[in-house]
């Protein structure tokens, strides 16, 4: 009887060390000789190469997932060629997966017994669920929050998008790649307060 794997979803706001956790797991698997693979959606191509890099500076090579990538087919081909299947698959930026790709990951778990850990954001800068995250909430065997703290001491919930002056932006495309210069993780209360401040400034008459 084949091993029974699990599909995990670890979500948190930007800057909550999700990627660092992924890379730590990859290091531990490598040290123990456990076969694994790292994946990352090609939506975030800031590095210019297929790597997963943490804000603390560590990185690891990975396979890119494009919008038309069939992840199940890749693993199935490994199985058919009698290559060693990964015991663990680690996926960074999982919010950018398509719902179909999340379903493919679930099938990999069920058909091949692999364990898959997806790391990603829950919601966008408008507090709406990403499609990939929504499907992971619906299908994952285990869901955990990677918590981090707002500057006020509360728990971060919102990935607030900001302009060059640090003002909250409330409109725009759902996906806009950026780091600390474009996003700030805050609690819901701070997000609401900053939105009110922005709306108040915008409503003031010009001198």
């Amino acid at each position: 009887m084949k091993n029974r794997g699990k599909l995990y979803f670890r979500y948190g706001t930007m800057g909550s060390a999700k990627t660092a956790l992924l890379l730590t797991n990859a290091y531990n698997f490598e040290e123990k000789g456990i076969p694994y693979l790292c994946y990352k959606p090609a939506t975030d191509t800031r590095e210019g190469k297929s790597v997963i890099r943490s804000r603390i500076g560590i990185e690891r090579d990975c396979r890119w997932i494009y919008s038309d990538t069939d992840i199940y087919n890749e693993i199935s081909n490994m199985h058919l060629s009698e290559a060693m299947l990964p015991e663990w698959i680690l996926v960074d930026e999982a919010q950018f997966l398509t719902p179909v790709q999340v379903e493919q990951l679930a099938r990999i778990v069920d058909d091949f017994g692999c364990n898959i850990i997806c790391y990603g954001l829950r919601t966008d800068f408008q507090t709406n669920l990403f499609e990939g995250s929504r499907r992971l909430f619906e299908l994952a065997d285990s869901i955990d929050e990677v918590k981090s703290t707002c500057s006020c001491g509360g728990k971060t919930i919102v990935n607030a998008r900001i302009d060059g002056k640090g003002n909250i932006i409330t409109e725009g495309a759902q996906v806009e790649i950026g780091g600390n210069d474009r996003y700030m993780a805050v609690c819901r209360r701070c997000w609401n307060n900053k939105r009110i401040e922005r709306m108040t400034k915008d409503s003031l008459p010009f001198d």
Side-chain angles (χ1 to χ4, degrees):
M1 183 176 179
K2 71 177 69 171
N3 293 330
R4 187 176 182 86
K6 286 187 176 182
L7 175 61
Y8 302 83
F9 184 33
R10 305 285 185 259
Y11 72 91
T13 53
M14 297 182 71
S16 59
K18 300 182 301 300
T19 300
L21 290 173
L22 182 156
L23 293 170
T24 299
N25 277 328
Y27 174 80
N28 288 333
F29 294 151
E30 192 167 287
E31 285 288 294
K32 295 175 183 177
I34 298 173
Y36 73 96
L37 287 176
C38 290
Y39 280 95
K40 179 182 179 181
T43 307
D44 184 355
T45 58
R46 285 174 292 175
E47 304 299 337
K49 55 183 179 179
S50 50
V51 298
I52 295 172
R53 175 175 293 167
S54 169
R55 296 185 183 209
I56 63 176
I58 56 177
E59 66 177 47
R60 189 166 292 270
D61 291 339
C62 68
R63 298 185 179 202
W64 264 347
I65 302 173
Y66 298 93
S67 60
D68 60 348
T69 298
D70 188 327
I71 314 170
Y72 182 88
N73 190 53
E74 287 191 7
I75 302 302
S76 179
N77 285 339
M78 292 177 62
H79 175 68
L80 292 174
S81 66
E82 298 185 351
M84 181 179 291
L85 288 177
E87 291 184 26
W88 291 86
I89 296 174
L90 307 175
V91 184
D92 196 29
E93 304 287 5
Q95 71 273 7
F96 295 137
L97 295 171
T98 68
V100 170
Q101 287 169 336
V102 174
E103 293 163 11
Q104 291 169 0
L105 294 178
R107 287 182 61 203
I108 291 170
V109 169
D110 295 340
D111 291 356
F112 303 114
C114 302
N115 291 287
I116 301 177
I117 311 179
C118 295
Y119 299 83
L121 304 176
R122 178 176 60 174
T123 57
D124 61 21
F125 75 108
Q126 294 176 321
T127 68
N128 298 316
L129 283 170
F130 284 98
E131 285 191 349
S133 301
R134 182 189 301 276
R135 200 67 181 120
L136 280 164
F137 276 118
E138 294 166 343
L139 292 180
D141 299 293
S142 176
I143 299 170
D144 291 297
E145 182 179 11
V146 182
K147 298 178 181 179
S148 61
T149 304
C150 179
S151 59
C152 74
K155 187 182 75 169
T156 58
I157 293 178
V158 182
N159 302 293
R161 186 178 294 173
I162 57 176
D163 61 19
K165 296 181 180 179
N167 297 313
I168 295 289
I169 296 174
T170 58
E171 296 182 355
Q174 183 182 55
V175 178
E176 183 176 318
I177 303 303
N180 293 336
D181 60 326
R182 296 297 292 156
Y183 292 94
M184 174 174 57
V186 293
C187 68
R188 185 177 56 249
R189 184 174 65 176
C190 285
W191 181 64
N192 280 322
N193 288 342
K194 289 179 182 296
R195 284 197 305 154
I196 292 170
E197 289 176 9
R198 179 62 184 266
M199 287 186 290
T200 301
K201 287 181 182 178
D202 291 345
S203 65
L204 291 175
F206 291 106
D207 293 334

